[in-house]
Amino acid sequence: MNRRDFLSAASTLTAGGLLATAAPRLAHALSRDETLALISENGPNNLDIHGVGTNRAGYEAAWNCYDRLVTYGIKTLPDGSRGYDKDVIAPELAERWEADAKGVTFFLRKDATFHDGTPVTAADVKWSFDRAVSVGGFPTVQMAAGSLLKPEQFSVVDDHTFRVAFARPDALTIPDLAVIVPAVFNSALVKKHATEKDPWGLAYTKNNPAGGGAYRVARWTPGTEVVYERFDAWKSGPLPQLKRVIWRTIPSSGNRRALVERSDCDVSFDLPAKDFAEMKREGLVKVASNPISNGMWSLEMNVTKPPFDNLKVRQAIAWVVPYQKIMDVVMYGEANPMFGAASNTPDDLVWPRPTAYRTDVEKAKGLLAEAGFADGFSTALSFDVSQGAIGEPIAVLMQESLGQIGIKASIEKIPGANWRGQMAKKSMPFMINFFSGWLDYPEYFFFWAYHGQNAVFNTMAYKNPALDKEVDAARAAAASGDAATYEAAIKTMIAIAYEEVPRIPLFQPYLNVAMQKSVGGYAYWFHRQLDYRTMGKVVT
Amino acid sequence: MLRATLKRLVTIVPTLIGVVVVTFLLTRVLPGDPAAYFAGPTADAASIEQIRKSLGLDQSLPQQFLRYLGDLARGDLGNALSTGQPVLKEIASRLPASAELTLSALALSILIAVPLGILAAVKEGSWIDHLCRVVTTAGVSLPVFFTGVLFVCIFYYRLGWAPAPVGRLDLYSVAPPHVTGFFLIDSLLAGDFDTFRATVAQLILPASTMALFALAPIARMTRASMLSVLSSEFIRTARASGLNSRTVILRYAFRNAMLPVVTTLGMVFSFLLGANVLVEKVFAWPGIGSFAVEALIQSDYAPVQGFVLAMALLYVALNLMIDLAYGVIDPRVRLEA
């Protein structure tokens, strides 16, 4: 190629690029009435809830593509919105079940099939449960939360009868069977793709849901899009209205708001509190808003790191937090306050509940002086950068307020990837954190977040035998159905935790979802993701 | 020329070895514990350890490096934990998306910047020269994420002229059958003009955003280079010989002024690939830049290594192409020199 050829070729190419083709405008769109267009910040990284590191978006895929033996009922909440009912266990793959002292027997529906047409049998359930308790990581921990510990607990009675033996009396065993983890897999299909190194076929199910749920994945472009189709032969509930769900990942929160306001999508997820507050006021779109069950943001102090070992120091901080300011400036009112109650001792079993603390700088100063820190001290306040939209403004407000009583707090921004590791090491003295439990029981929250077993969520490294006794008593009483003991234990447990205050509750955030007014059937679920099965569109 | 190319290729080898070693070490030094991150919300110490083992993070650094080299030799770049897919597959599917956007932006900016630069040089001091100055100053001083957000706000949100910024295609369109990964080309190959039109519609805003940014260096370089050529003796001779000014400017002056412009194009192209990250975020573009940044934030080593490696290869190839283009444009330039 010589110089002249190159130059002329270059100009030809440029000219060719200019010839834009005027294409005819044809109706190209798929039917919109039975399609739900959904946008969120992240898409799934794995379609299998048992996978290594499956993210929250992956939970949504697993929830809709797999069936479980049982599920929760749905109830209308006092404010008119709909949410799952933790007190009602409803049939899904199991038509009915019989519990006795030693275990529970499930009778499966006989007409249910997986997506490939294979009938669902008790052997599939057994294999799936064996997998959940054996693969390790999150699914195994979640199964253990309901005392589902080892494969020997699960047995096949006949093709459509399956039994779970109790490892110990535990009121959470059956509720734990209705969460996402004990999904039922098409064992024959997965086994075909299992290898010696990967006996449970995790590599296959990561990209290919092997279930029998109401939806199946028609197309998945990781990081971009998931397209679901309805599984028309679904038997475990009424046939869903939506034939197709298109779920696109939109990283910019501004665009996620613009898209729903301009009616270019049906449902918009993961918006900042400020946007939701404004959208609720403007009323262009519908915003479903529910407090996140069994969850709260709090300030946590590591009691093994002085001066946080001193009760008076912790209480001083609890009295100096600018609670209302945080509610107004950080959450724009999109949360339930967890402060300002009459007493730290509960008078009923409502959970989460507010503490008796409120902002009182003089009282805080007094307590700090009593503790021997009249001149204050220095510490570092950490938050998770991946939750920075909430964590950062709280940190700044806290820094200012702590300054009023002489405490100099530097702000440590911990990268999201590092946060869990720091929590596990219990290396942070003082942090802003969020915890919520799937199973909505106060003793479940306390077991993870306060109990002396020192789980990763007990970031305070708080060990108090008196509190542990109450938590254990509450669990035992729940299992044996002893309501009076249960109530007494729960009340004492909360009173101790709030009086000793290693963790200062701030607020219970709302889960907000923005949608077109034509979208109906949304229900809040403990997993904080969407259940497409109940949703639909009103054609106008 | 073949010998020169081969000689040039040999010099790439140490660069690549350096890149592999440095990326490996760099990602290991970064803070963050991927095992803890991916162990899930209710993991305990034991399950974090289990995951650390399955990721090979419990081995010593040299062992991890050997493992990495072995995988690399087999073309296995590891798995991206954020999307769960093999890194090679991710890069292969995302690189065309980024390249399509970057090349469209580059083409758009060349179409505007080169004539603008030529006119500004020819009519030095006129209104068009001032326009050139204003446009280039605006181009460099407005950061891409800002222009991106501004464009979305005006052309999509307020005016409704542009389609929703949801990536390479609107929600209801289906990607054309995969041939090159460039939707513009693939849709034409499939004869699917609707998809072609949808692709163009989605491209306009992000490509304009990036083009505005790329305008400045190209226009400035064209102008400067043209000015110096126009004042040289052979142009004076050409004019004195009575050639019309069109011939003088386009055939003689511009072709001689192209060399520094091509160098600038190469730089702008690599620059644009970097600027992509922000534009991709704003327009939900499933490109390689946003993927790498996401991985970096999550301490997901494999995609970061794969990304840097792919980029290094791309830069090396680009430089090679520019070097070769020099020789073709200007016979006086030799690679050996």
Side-chain angles (χ1 to χ4, degrees), chain A residues 19 25 81 84 115 194 200 283 293 295 311 336 409 418 436 452 466 473 531:
Chain A
L19 290 173
R25 223 165 212 256
S81 66
Y84 80 103
H115 294 155
W200 296 107
S293 52
L311 172 64
N336 285 335
N418 228 2
S436 84
D531 185 335

Side-chain angles (χ1 to χ4, degrees), chain A residues 167-225:
Chain A
R168 54 180 174 240
D170 188 340
L172 299 185
T173 299
I174 292 176
D176 201 33
L177 288 176
V179 302
I180 311 175
V181 172
V184 178
F185 290 74
N186 185 341
S187 64
L189 179 64
V190 182
K191 275 187 212 159
K192 239 191 292 178
H193 293 92
T195 60
E196 206 167 305
K197 272 184 78 183
D198 177 20
W200 296 107
L202 290 169
Y204 176 73
T205 50
K206 175 198 254 183
N207 296 317
N208 308 280
Y215 286 90
R216 52 178 162 194
V217 172
R219 190 167 75 237
W220 178 33
T221 317
T224 308
E225 185 181 56

Side-chain angles (χ1 to χ4, degrees), chain B residues 27 73 77 132 250 282:
Chain B
T27 46
L77 295 178
C132 177
L250 289 183
V282 172

Side-chain angles (χ1 to χ4, degrees), chain A residues 44 83 106 144 158 164 191 216 226 357 387 411 415 418 452 498 512:
Chain A
F106 291 93
D158 63 44
V164 175
K191 275 187 212 159
R216 52 178 162 194
V226 186
Y357 302 99
Q387 303 258 30
I411 295 178
N418 228 2
Y498 280 9
N512 286 327

Side-chain angles (χ1 to χ4, degrees), chain A residues 3 207 248 255 261 264 457, chain B residues 41 85 156-157 166 282 329:
Chain A
R3 173 170 165 263
N207 296 317
R248 196 63 82 85
N255 288 352
E261 288 193 345
D264 280 325
F457 302 105
Chain B
Q85 303 304 306
Y156 167 64
Y157 189 66
V166 293
V282 172
I329 293 171

Side-chain angles (χ1 to χ4, degrees), chain A residues 89-378:
Chain A
I89 301 292
E92 199 158 278
L93 268 177
E95 282 176 320
R96 60 192 176 87
W97 51 94
E98 284 162 10
D100 51 59
K102 291 206 165 134
V104 52
T105 306
F106 291 93
F107 301 92
L108 310 186
R109 61 181 77 245
K110 297 198 168 70
D111 52 355
T113 63
F114 290 110
H115 294 155
D116 64 358
T118 322
V120 180
T121 65
D124 292 307
V125 183
K126 155 91 176 143
W127 186 85
S128 307
F129 282 27
D130 288 356
R131 189 186 199 238
V133 298
S134 308
V135 287
F138 165 64
T140 303
V141 175
Q142 182 62 45
M143 292 296 274
S147 300
L148 300 160
L149 306 169
K150 48 184 195 294
E152 291 73 40
Q153 281 176 267
F154 314 123
S155 53
V156 174
V157 179
D158 63 44
D159 262 6
H160 294 99
T161 315
F162 172 75
R163 187 169 165 83
V164 175
F166 296 142
R168 54 180 174 240
D170 188 340
L172 299 185
T173 299
I174 292 176
D176 201 33
L177 288 176
V179 302
I180 311 175
V181 172
V184 178
F185 290 74
N186 185 341
S187 64
L189 179 64
V190 182
K191 275 187 212 159
K192 239 191 292 178
H193 293 92
T195 60
E196 206 167 305
K197 272 184 78 183
D198 177 20
W200 296 107
L202 290 169
Y204 176 73
T205 50
K206 175 198 254 183
N207 296 317
N208 308 280
Y215 286 90
R216 52 178 162 194
V217 172
R219 190 167 75 237
W220 178 33
T221 317
T224 308
E225 185 181 56
V226 186
V227 178
Y228 301 90
E229 267 167 7
R230 189 175 68 191
F231 174 46
D232 288 338
W234 190 56
K235 294 288 189 296
S236 304
L239 196 64
Q241 192 204 327
L242 296 167
K243 281 194 176 158
R244 192 189 306 260
V245 178
I246 298 173
W247 179 11
R248 196 63 82 85
T249 307
I250 308 289
S252 148
S253 67
N255 288 352
R256 286 199 300 279
R257 177 171 170 185
L259 279 158
V260 70
E261 288 193 345
R262 287 195 54 91
S263 308
D264 280 325
C265 72
D266 296 314
V267 178
S268 182
F269 227 76
D270 308 324
L271 287 172
K274 180 171 186 281
D275 286 311
F276 280 121
E278 285 173 13
M279 290 164 92
K280 278 183 189 172
R281 257 200 321 274
E282 288 165 9
L284 282 171
V285 295
K286 194 159 74 176
V287 178
S289 194
N290 298 89
I292 290 175
S293 52
N294 209 7
M296 53 167 101
W297 277 88
S298 38
L299 291 166
E300 294 158 18
M301 291 164 282
N302 190 325
V303 298
T304 62
K305 302 212 184 277
F308 296 119
D309 55 340
N310 189 322
L311 172 64
K312 292 223 157 62
V313 169
R314 299 200 298 266
Q315 287 174 336
I317 293 175
W319 283 105
V320 82
V321 177
Y323 296 101
Q324 193 55 45
K325 221 175 186 173
I326 291 174
M327 281 290 295
D328 297 341
V329 181
V330 183
M331 294 310 290
Y332 296 85
E334 296 296 307
N336 285 335
M338 287 291 123
F339 53 89
S343 160
N344 274 334
T345 307
D347 43 19
D348 57 27
L349 289 180
V350 173
W351 177 258
R353 66 182 308 113
T355 65
Y357 302 99
R358 53 182 193 280
T359 315
D360 185 338
V361 178
E362 289 316 308
K363 194 159 182 172
K365 269 186 189 157
L367 279 162
L368 206 57
E370 276 178 52
F373 291 94
D375 298 329
F377 57 87
S378 297

